Structures are given as structure tokens and as C-alpha cells.
Amino acid sequence: MAAEVRPRLTVLSGPSGVGKSTVVAHMRKVHPEVWLSVSATTRKPRPGERHGVQYFFVTDEEFDKLVANGELLEWAEFAGNRYGTPRRAVLEHLEAGESVLLEIDLQGARLVRESMPEAQLVFLAPPSWDELVRRLTGRGTEAPEVIERRLGAAKIELAAESEFDTTLVNTSVEDVARELLALMQVV
């Protein structure tokens, strides 16, 4: 008799610019049944972003309340804004037998590992340092000092790869999305 496949929490993390959002967007287009947790953030919406779709946009006071009440699985501050994963929705989806995917930063991944050691942590790595630099500078949306800060953070994030259960190298969005689905046991 085959072992029962249990849903699990999968955390996708890696340096800024490695393509986490692109991989997740492709995966969800092909497999819309994969539930991706929507983070709460104190940053203002960008054009085209909608509350409850890309993020739950909250005030600093509302975010403080979420933290104080233990309603966030993890949270972090990045570029002057705070981001966090609502705990209740993640647990409800897992209890309902659904696999759950979080796309979060290194600090958040470490916090999830502390509170949910059974979670599967997946590190998304660039094919090379030069390619990561090209992706970060190629966006053309950020000032040079922001890019320098992101590259500095990326060096630290890349050094944390050994803390993860699995590493996927982002040479092809389609291939990485397929590998991530297999790890999540969504087939």
C-alpha cells in the first residue's frame, strides 16, 4: 500500500532578482490549484496591484496589531516596509489537505523553520553571480544605490543556501516550476 501523501508547507526563497515571482507566476498559471499565501504589507500598492490579490495592504498600526496578536507566521522589514505571512490562512489550507507555497525572503524562511520545522525550504539560486547582477541592473527601475544594497544583500542570502533542504538553479522558469511542483508533490 502506498504511503499517504501529506500536504506540506513549502517555502521558496533566494536572493532578490533571482526570479522567485516569475517562477511562482508561471507555476500558478499551469497549476492554479497551488495555493500561494498572500502577504500583508505596510507598503503602498503599485499600479495594478489589488488588495487581497498581490498583498493585503495594511497600515503600520494594523501591522503592529497582527504582530502583537501572533497572527503572523513570520514577518520582516525590507526597504522601509514590513511584510508578513498571515498564520491562520496557511494552517487552514494545510488542514484542508492542500499544499501551501510561501515566497518569502531569507529572514522569513528562517522564522518559518523555527515555528514549523516540518516545512520544506527551497532555495532558488541564480545560474551565476554575473547573471544575478545582470537581472538586478537590467530591471532599470531602481536607483544605483538601491541596486548596490540589493547586491550586498544577495551575497549574504547566497551564503545561506546550506540552511535550505533543496536548491533549484533558475536556468529555465519552466524547468524550475516543474521541479518545484514535484517537490510539493502536486502532480
Side-chain angles (χ1 to χ4, degrees):
M1 192 158 122
E4 181 187 348
V5 176
R6 298 207 35 175
R8 72 194 295 201
L9 175 61
T10 300
V11 174
L12 181 66
S13 193
S16 176
V18 76
K20 296 181 296 291
S21 300
T22 305
V23 167
V24 169
H26 176 77
M27 187 175 77
R28 295 207 54 235
K29 199 165 78 180
V30 178
H31 286 273
E33 73 277 10
V34 172
W35 189 75
L36 175 70
S37 175
V38 177
S39 296
T41 183
T42 57
R43 83 159 168 76
K44 300 291 176 243
R46 293 180 183 139
E49 289 183 332
R50 295 191 329 273
H51 180 76
V53 178
Q54 286 81 12
Y55 289 98
F56 293 109
F57 297 98
V58 299
T59 64
D60 278 314
E61 295 75 27
E62 290 169 324
F63 201 95
D64 289 343
K65 232 183 244 177
L66 291 171
V67 171
N69 294 335
E71 293 178 44
L72 298 177
L73 186 57
E74 58 79 31
W75 69 274
E77 191 164 331
F78 183 75
N81 296 299
R82 292 182 289 170
Y83 298 82
T85 303
R87 179 186 306 273
R88 182 182 304 137
V90 168
L91 295 178
E92 285 172 358
H93 282 270
L94 287 170
E95 286 165 11
E98 298 172 51
S99 291
V100 173
L101 178 62
L102 301 184
E103 176 203 330
I104 55 179
D105 71 353
L106 173 62
Q107 183 181 346
R110 286 173 169 157
L111 291 169
V112 169
R113 169 65 31 101
E114 282 177 28
S115 63
M116 296 182 77
E118 72 280 8
Q120 170 176 234
L121 271 55
V122 179
F123 188 84
L124 188 60
S128 68
W129 174 255
D130 290 343
E131 176 62 16
L132 186 63
V133 171
R134 190 190 66 72
R135 289 178 187 180
L136 281 172
T137 55
R139 287 177 171 176
T141 56
E142 291 155 336
E145 60 273 10
V146 173
I147 291 170
E148 282 305 310
R149 199 164 56 243
R150 285 185 185 267
L151 289 172
K155 284 182 180 161
I156 294 165
E157 290 163 338
L158 286 168
E161 180 181 341
S162 63
E163 297 175 34
F164 288 74
D165 301 313
T166 305
T167 295
L168 300 177
V169 178
N170 192 6
T171 51
S172 154
V173 170
E174 293 81 8
D175 291 348
V176 170
R178 200 169 26 257
E179 291 171 33
L180 186 57
L181 279 164
L183 287 170
M184 293 178 70
Q185 299 171 330
V186 177
V187 288

